[in-house]
């Protein structure tokens, strides 16, 4: 496997999907994939078919109803979903891709640095490299930098170098940014338990919220949504928290489906136990008042 670096995760997606499929082909995308994959899919002009979120049975069903008949078929999913914090059933999806002879592209933006050996991601964690046509990610989350990457076969890398417009026609990431990312990768290699420690903190955080009856959807990661429902209350609660210097995203439609506005908490290892305790108390108080 080799990698190709882009200016950002968004440019990575725009520069790869339209070179895997075109208007004669089919894309099967999880309903909750990130906007960058969706925009890449639209740019490709392939027929876009959405499957139910994290539902391999529905994916299988849709693939069976849209056989290849000479066209290429590409499955798109995230590894860890950015707004729900839940995990894609990657092994099942990869098996379906193999059985159906479809390509598979996985966005590891949020799993990289947290899951897998030394934060190498969930594809590596489950040894799915050979079933995955492309893995993409960003240097802007765990690696605290800026830039995007795609991993795949050497043949694919050489093809993208020749064809990918967002690789060719824009400036490459500057050395300082790459130095930041390389430094972060070195830290991950030297301290391989960082991801596990972060996930433990997240489990503790979720348990505390659950014990007060709050709904964190299917979150199983450092991204923790707290479902509120209506937009106005979500904004109000996030505002109350901000007044206490607690920065929590207020996520509303169209970023998430109608009626599922939520607070989005993104934990890091820089949050101390005291920070976490204070945040839990403040969130519960803000919601209950
Ligand atoms: C799942 C996911 N993929 C891709 C991106 C885009 O990455 P970048 O910010 O490097 O463009 C983001 C957000 O930034 C994201 O959340």
């Amino acid at each position: 496997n080799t990698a190709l670096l882009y200016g950002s995760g968004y440019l990575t997606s725009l520069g790869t999907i339209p070179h895997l499929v075109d208007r004669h082909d089919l894309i099967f995308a999880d309903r909750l994939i990130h906007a960058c994959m969706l925009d890449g899919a639209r740019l490709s002009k392939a027929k876009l078919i959405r499957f139910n979120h994290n539902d391999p049975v529905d994916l299988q069903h849709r693939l069976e109803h849209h056989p290849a008949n000479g066209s290429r078929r590409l499955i798109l999913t995230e590894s860890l979903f950015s707004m729900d914090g839940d995990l894609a059933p990657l092994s099942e999806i990869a098996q379906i891709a193999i059985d159906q002879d479809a390509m598979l592209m996985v966005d590891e933006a949020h799993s990289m640095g947290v899951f897998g050996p030394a934060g190498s991601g969930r594809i590596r964690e489950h040894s799915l490299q050979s079933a995955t046509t492309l893995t993409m990610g960003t240097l802007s989350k765990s690696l605290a930098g800026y830039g995007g990457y795609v991993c795949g076969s050497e043949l694919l890398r050489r093809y993208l170098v020749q064809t990918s417009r967002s690789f060719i026609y824009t400036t490459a990431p500057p050395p300082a940014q790459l130095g930041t990312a390389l430094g972060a990768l070195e830290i991950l290699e030297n301290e391989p338990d960082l991801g596990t420690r972060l996930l433990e903190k997240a489990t503790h955080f979720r348990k505390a919220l659950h014990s007060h009856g709050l709904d964190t959807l299917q979150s199983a990661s450092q991204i923790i949504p707290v479902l509120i429902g209506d937009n106005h209350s979500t904004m109000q609660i996030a505002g109350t928290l901000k007044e206490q210097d607690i920065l929590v995203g207020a996520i509303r439609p169209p970023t998430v489906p109608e009626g599922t506005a939520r607070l989005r908490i993104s934990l890091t290892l820089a949050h101390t136990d005291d920070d976490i305790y204070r945040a839990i108390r403040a969130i519960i108080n803000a919601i209950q008042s």
Side-chain angles (χ1 to χ4, degrees):
N1 270 4
T2 58
L4 189 63
L5 207 59
Y6 283 78
S8 71
Y10 189 83
L11 290 175
T12 307
S13 185
L14 292 195
T16 46
I17 297 172
H19 300 288
L20 296 176
V21 286
D22 62 25
R23 64 193 173 83
H24 304 292
D25 301 324
L26 300 162
I27 290 178
F28 299 81
D30 185 289
R31 276 195 202 285
L32 297 191
I33 51 163
H34 189 260
C36 71
M37 272 191 151
L38 203 52
D39 291 354
R42 287 179 178 142
L43 198 59
S44 76
K45 298 195 171 67
K47 183 177 164 69
L48 180 59
I49 296 152
R50 310 297 292 272
F51 63 91
N52 292 341
H53 177 54
N54 277 351
D55 185 346
V57 175
D58 189 47
L59 169 62
Q60 168 94 26
H61 180 75
R62 288 174 195 271
L63 281 157
E64 282 167 2
H65 277 77
H66 296 89
N69 290 338
S71 64
R72 284 168 291 192
R73 297 186 300 169
L74 170 66
I75 301 166
L76 300 179
T77 188
E78 274 175 57
S79 169
L80 190 182
F81 280 83
S82 57
M83 293 299 141
D84 288 49
D86 56 350
L87 306 177
L90 288 181
S91 299
E92 284 159 273
I93 291 177
Q95 192 55 52
I96 291 172
I98 293 169
D99 294 346
Q100 292 282 330
D101 199 18
M103 293 181 282
L104 171 62
M105 179 167 172
V106 179
D107 183 349
E108 292 245 54
H110 295 277
S111 39
M112 204 269 178
V114 181
F115 288 84
S120 51
R122 294 189 62 233
I123 295 289
R124 175 92 185 278
E125 184 182 20
H126 297 283
S127 305
L128 299 173
Q129 295 95 317
S130 60
T132 313
T133 315
L134 277 183
T135 307
M136 66 159 280
T138 172
L139 308 185
S140 66
K141 312 285 181 204
S142 296
L143 302 188
Y146 195 73
Y149 65 85
V150 69
C151 301
S153 69
E154 171 59 12
L155 184 63
L156 204 51
R157 190 192 70 81
R158 285 188 359 229
Y159 166 68
L160 290 172
V161 167
Q162 299 299 327
T163 55
S164 176
R165 295 176 70 82
S166 64
F167 174 78
I168 298 167
Y169 296 110
T170 187
T171 309
Q177 289 302 339
L178 301 183
T180 306
L182 285 171
L185 284 173
E186 210 175 294
I187 292 172
L188 281 173
E189 270 170 23
N190 293 338
E191 296 179 62
D193 68 333
L194 288 177
T196 313
R197 280 171 41 207
L198 178 58
L199 292 173
E200 278 166 11
K201 260 186 207 280
T203 302
H204 168 69
F205 201 107
R206 272 195 307 274
K207 273 191 186 152
L209 296 176
H210 293 163
S211 70
H212 287 82
L214 300 182
D215 184 355
T216 61
L217 302 174
Q218 299 300 314
S219 165
S221 69
Q222 76 282 10
I223 297 173
I224 305 175
V226 180
L227 185 68
I228 305 295
D230 84 275
N231 298 354
H232 182 67
S233 312
T234 307
M235 288 301 288
Q236 254 183 350
I237 295 165
T240 306
L241 293 169
K242 197 171 172 202
E243 281 163 15
Q244 300 167 61
D245 294 333
I246 297 172
L247 188 62
V248 164
I251 313 290
R252 290 150 291 148
T255 306
V256 293
E258 218 42 72
T260 70
R262 65 199 65 179
L263 305 174
R264 178 181 182 270
I265 297 146
S266 192
L267 284 187
T268 78
L269 279 176
H271 292 122
T272 63
D273 289 347
D274 280 354
D275 292 335
I276 289 182
Y277 180 73
R278 196 164 76 81
I280 291 169
R281 288 258 39 100
I283 290 167
I284 292 162
N285 286 339
I287 291 176
Q288 286 175 349
S289 59

